[in-house]
Amino acid sequence: MSTRRRRKFAALMAVVAAAALVLSGCADGGGGKAGADRPLRVWSGATSPIANNFNPFAPGSAAHFTYGVIYEPLFFFNQLADEKPTGLIGDSYEFNADGTVLTVAIKPDQKWSDGTPLTAQDVAFSFGYGSNKSEKLVSAVAEGDTTVVLSYAVPQFTAAPQILGATWIIPERIWSSITDFATETNQKPIGSGPYVLKNATDASYTVEANPNFRDGAPAVKTVQNIAIDSNQSAEDLLKTGKIDWAGQFIANPKSITSGGTISSLNQQQDPTVLLTCSSTELGCTGPQTDPAVRRAINVAIDRGEIGSKAFAGQSGVVSPSFALLPRDKKWVTDPKLETSPQKANAAEAGSILEAAGYVRSADGVFAKEGKSIEIDLFSPDGWTDYNDAAKLISEQAAAAGIRIKNRTVSLAEYWTPTTNGNFQMALYGAPQSLVADPYSNYERFFATASTAPVGQPPATGLNLARYSNPIVDTAVAEAGATQDEGIKKAAYARIQTEIARDLPYIPVVLNASMAFFNTRDFNGWPGDSRPYAAPLPYLATASGVVLSRLRPAK
């Protein structure tokens, strides 16, 4: 349902009734009692049924609280600020002179949530386990209880945020006996994070404060993550006080915040893109595999209209460089790559296609060798901003002679094909780099090592576009092997030129990353004056950092 359509009374009552079943036993509307007397209720994007799966290595895990809330990396990198990382399990780290050896000191006397010691041996084991293990890793060795030495085949200076901020640390005594890490459901997770799993159902799961957490048990004792199947339903529950924290698009945020209970923060961070299955060599099929078609779509869409209508003016201008501007401005040396075209240019789109051998048919659609350009585009049902954007993209492309058929699918029907590569085009939100450096974007989304043939999920990385370019691969390796800004800028310039021409991900807008949180009943949230973490409950690690700092209002 669109956020701009009139809500139907019956639908609203159904939403509230369903929420009442999930939230039975909680205080009324979130406002009757202080936060200490009830769970903090969260929607992190989960839809029903929730999989009872807390495996940090499984695509089907109940991901949002698995990462950062239950399991942790060594350090937290705050993507809202250019600052040093915060130690979690880790205390300090340093590279050797050539960047091939990383020595990490972990904090002493830490415990797993079941009370057993967390040592450097667990950390060393974690780096060699499952999808944590990098093909560049030579060895991970524990030296005593608090020192780990990681040796790599090539320098890893620029990869530090991924190594230290996105490697999930697990207890060796449990996971050493799990040989099929991808299918393990891990329904009784033992982690180091601020919370432990209490129970899980199809409709919600609940975590409670970890008494063995290194900083002491969090002040908010219970957190419930509930399943909601659409943005509109979550918006209604925010308005009625049934949830306390959500990260979602809402066209009129004042309708939520005007009552004084809920506050909001909009950090325009993550690019919304048209994700394409781009490589025929890796098994992709369809017109979108032709770079000329992708370039034509890039100039055929009206990003200004999409931002205004689908995102209600809450989104930002996206860069085809995949750098976050203005934060990463020093890394974009070509001014033409700072912003994507904002207005549609159907004539230019037609010229691009004609130069590539396409001819406009009598029905107005471009075709080549008798095959019209017809592309399937899907977005998750209930993601109203994405659904509206897809409709506009379809209309705008049609004006340029490109037929894009948009449809909505369930979340399961969305993630399965995008992960396995059995799709043509999908609207997708690409997570931004953890630090003020776009290296992780290029390594995760564009490197060949971060993808897989159609039919298989990437073993590491998020290159769902199945993009493979040897120039990009070489430049990613060069950038990761140096701390010299000049060398990195030159490598990034080559990457940016290639990806802005090939467009395996066609940038649409800089997403409105809108957070809504209950500041009447809970204190300690991040804000514009104290942005210690992005307050989005679906972000890995950041969600655990936020929850560990919250406290019930007195």
Side-chain angles (χ1 to χ4, degrees), residues 164-417:
L164 301 169
T167 300
W168 306 105
I169 308 304
I170 53 176
E172 179 182 17
R173 60 190 172 78
I174 293 174
W175 287 87
S176 59
S177 62
I178 299 173
T179 55
D180 190 353
F181 66 88
T183 60
E184 169 65 33
T185 56
N186 194 36
Q187 295 182 6
K188 296 180 179 180
I190 303 298
S192 62
Y195 287 84
V196 297
L197 181 66
K198 181 179 181 181
N199 57 56
T201 70
D202 287 351
S204 70
Y205 59 93
T206 301
V207 295
E208 55 189 359
N210 176 8
N212 293 304
F213 186 53
R214 66 184 162 273
D215 297 328
V220 176
K221 300 305 180 187
T222 309
V223 183
Q224 185 181 38
N225 197 325
I226 66 174
I228 302 175
D229 288 327
S230 73
N231 280 4
Q232 184 62 59
S233 299
E235 182 176 344
D236 294 335
L237 293 175
L238 276 168
K239 287 178 179 177
T240 55
K242 298 296 183 182
I243 55 176
D244 303 298
W245 188 17
Q248 65 176 99
F249 171 77
I250 294 179
N252 180 17
K254 289 185 178 179
S255 67
I256 305 296
T257 60
S258 60
T261 296
I262 304 295
S263 297
S264 69
L265 189 67
N266 182 5
Q267 296 289 334
Q268 297 166 341
Q269 290 262 316
D270 301 333
T272 290
V273 300
L274 286 169
L275 167 66
T276 75
C277 193
S278 64
S279 171
T280 55
E281 290 80 6
L282 290 175
C284 299
T285 60
Q288 83 291 340
T289 59
D290 186 345
V293 171
R294 301 197 295 267
R295 286 195 287 271
I297 294 171
N298 184 55
V299 298
I301 62 177
D302 189 326
R303 292 173 175 83
E305 182 181 38
I306 293 168
S308 173
K309 292 183 178 180
F311 294 90
Q314 303 290 343
S315 59
V317 176
V318 68
S319 169
S321 70
F322 269 71
L324 177 61
L325 301 178
R327 188 192 73 175
D328 305 340
K329 185 174 176 62
K330 73 176 182 179
W331 300 115
V332 182
T333 53
D334 185 348
K336 295 192 297 295
L337 299 182
E338 290 185 359
T339 60
S340 292
Q342 294 303 297
K343 294 293 183 181
N345 191 332
E348 184 179 355
S351 297
I352 291 170
L353 292 172
E354 288 170 357
Y358 291 85
V359 178
R360 198 156 192 166
S361 304
D363 62 0
V365 179
F366 277 96
K368 187 176 184 179
E369 298 176 353
K371 294 183 179 180
S372 298
I373 301 177
E374 294 188 359
I375 300 171
D376 177 68
L377 166 65
F378 59 90
S379 59
D381 187 36
W383 291 19
T384 51
D385 47 350
Y386 276 26
N387 303 156
D388 291 343
K391 293 176 186 176
L392 289 169
I393 289 167
S394 178
E395 294 167 2
Q396 295 162 359
I402 301 167
R403 184 173 291 152
I404 297 178
K405 299 179 178 180
N406 70 287
R407 60 190 175 96
T408 63
V409 297
S410 71
L411 208 55
E413 293 172 311
Y414 175 83
W415 285 117
T416 299

Side-chain angles (χ1 to χ4, degrees), residues 1-12:
M1 183 189 301
S2 167
T3 54
R4 283 166 293 285
R5 293 180 190 168
R6 183 177 300 168
R7 292 196 306 271
K8 295 181 180 179
F9 181 78
L12 175 57

